[in-house]
Amino acid sequence: MCTIVLSLAPGSEWPLLLAANRDERLDRPWDAPGRHWPDRPSVIGGRDRLAGGSWLALNDAGVVAGVMNRVGSLGPAAGKRSRGELPLMALEHTTATDAMRALATLDAGAWRSFNMVVADRRCAYFISGLGYATPEILRLEPGCHMAATTGPDDLSIPRIGRHLPRFREAARPVPPDWTPWTRILSDRSLPAGSELNIPPRAGFGTCSSSVIGLPAAPDAAPSWHFAAGAPDRVGYAPVDLRSGPAA
């Protein structure tokens, strides 16, 4: 996962909106969001077929967790655990705060460096594993945030410097109409290096995109729309949260 956008607005009809474009080697196999883990029946997410983990997942309690690489840490490394384990570990918990507390005790050196976002209807956390000691934790204030390979809202990153103001200026989506955000998530216009939807280069590019909304009412269904490829090419379809993506 290379970019996550999050809008936290406690007290609103949709207190949490989260969007994510996944950038990866295009030949790395994966499965679209589904209930892929028999030992974790309350979790739905995309599954990496190589390591078995997830880049972005949601549980039935309304906790969302996504993981990203930090600068210079693309791909696996000998002796390191898969970062795809981390969202699944977070979703063992029924609140974002409980998930954060559990992740904060981990030995970050067991994984290559990572960034995570863990959120629910009430709060959101940015978690950084720097490859040593325990992860660093930052609670995100209400509002719109964007993260990639460094800290949140880092305007020195070309894609954040270019697109975070656009997300903040855009109308906040009211699911199921995600158009104000999906239009930006699908943008692959130049200059190179600032695209949010990365065109294929040397076998690498944006391979999927998600938009997830958690409604204020705990008994109301979340909204998840998924693009099973570059979003400007394939578009978004609603995910069947009972099993997987709509046909």
Side-chain angles (χ1 to χ4, degrees):
M1 178 71 68
C2 278
T3 308
I4 292 178
V5 181
L6 177 149
S7 178
L8 183 65
S12 70
E13 182 182 2
W14 291 86
L16 179 69
L17 302 176
L18 185 145
N21 276 6
R22 185 184 186 216
D23 309 324
E24 182 55 88
R25 288 201 55 83
L26 299 176
D27 60 357
R28 183 162 182 158
W30 51 272
D31 295 309
R35 295 184 184 268
H36 298 296
W37 301 274
D39 60 333
R40 302 172 188 270
S42 69
V43 173
I44 183 167
R47 179 176 61 181
D48 172 48
R49 292 184 188 172
L50 292 182
S54 183
W55 61 93
L56 179 66
L58 165 72
N59 70 17
D60 291 339
V63 182
V64 183
V67 67
M68 300 165 282
N69 302 327
R70 285 184 63 85
V71 174
S73 68
L74 180 66
K80 298 290 185 179
R81 296 169 64 174
S82 168
R83 287 169 287 203
E85 299 174 337
L86 294 164
L88 301 183
M89 294 169 66
L91 297 185
E92 294 173 357
H93 302 276
T94 58
T95 70
T97 298
D98 286 345
M100 174 275 294
R101 289 171 177 159
L103 295 170
T105 66
L106 296 176
D107 173 12
W111 294 269
R112 297 198 77 185
S113 61
F114 64 85
N115 289 333
M116 286 189 71
V117 169
V118 179
D120 59 20
R121 294 173 174 86
R122 295 167 293 280
C123 56
Y125 298 94
F126 184 80
I127 302 169
S128 296
L130 304 181
Y132 57 87
T134 54
E136 297 181 355
I137 309 294
L138 175 66
R139 181 164 179 162
L140 297 175
E141 296 297 324
C144 185
H145 303 279
M146 188 171 178
T149 56
T150 60
D153 306 332
D154 183 353
L155 298 179
S156 71
I157 301 297
R159 77 176 63 177
I160 296 179
R162 178 181 176 190
H163 297 291
L164 178 57
R166 297 180 65 196
F167 280 106
R168 287 178 169 170
E169 291 169 6
R172 195 171 189 267
V174 180
D177 181 10
W178 286 96
T179 305
W181 279 18
T182 56
R183 185 179 294 118
I184 303 172
L185 292 165
S186 300
D187 188 351
R188 62 165 56 182
S189 63
L190 298 175
S194 72
E195 307 101 318
L196 193 52
N197 174 22
I198 299 174
R201 295 191 184 107
F204 181 89
T206 297
C207 61
S208 69
S209 181
S210 287
V211 283
I212 298 173
L214 296 182
D219 57 347
S223 171
W224 189 336
H225 284 60
F226 181 73
D232 64 317
R233 302 298 195 261
V234 304
Y236 292 81
V239 172
D240 178 357
L241 297 179
R242 295 167 300 178
S243 57

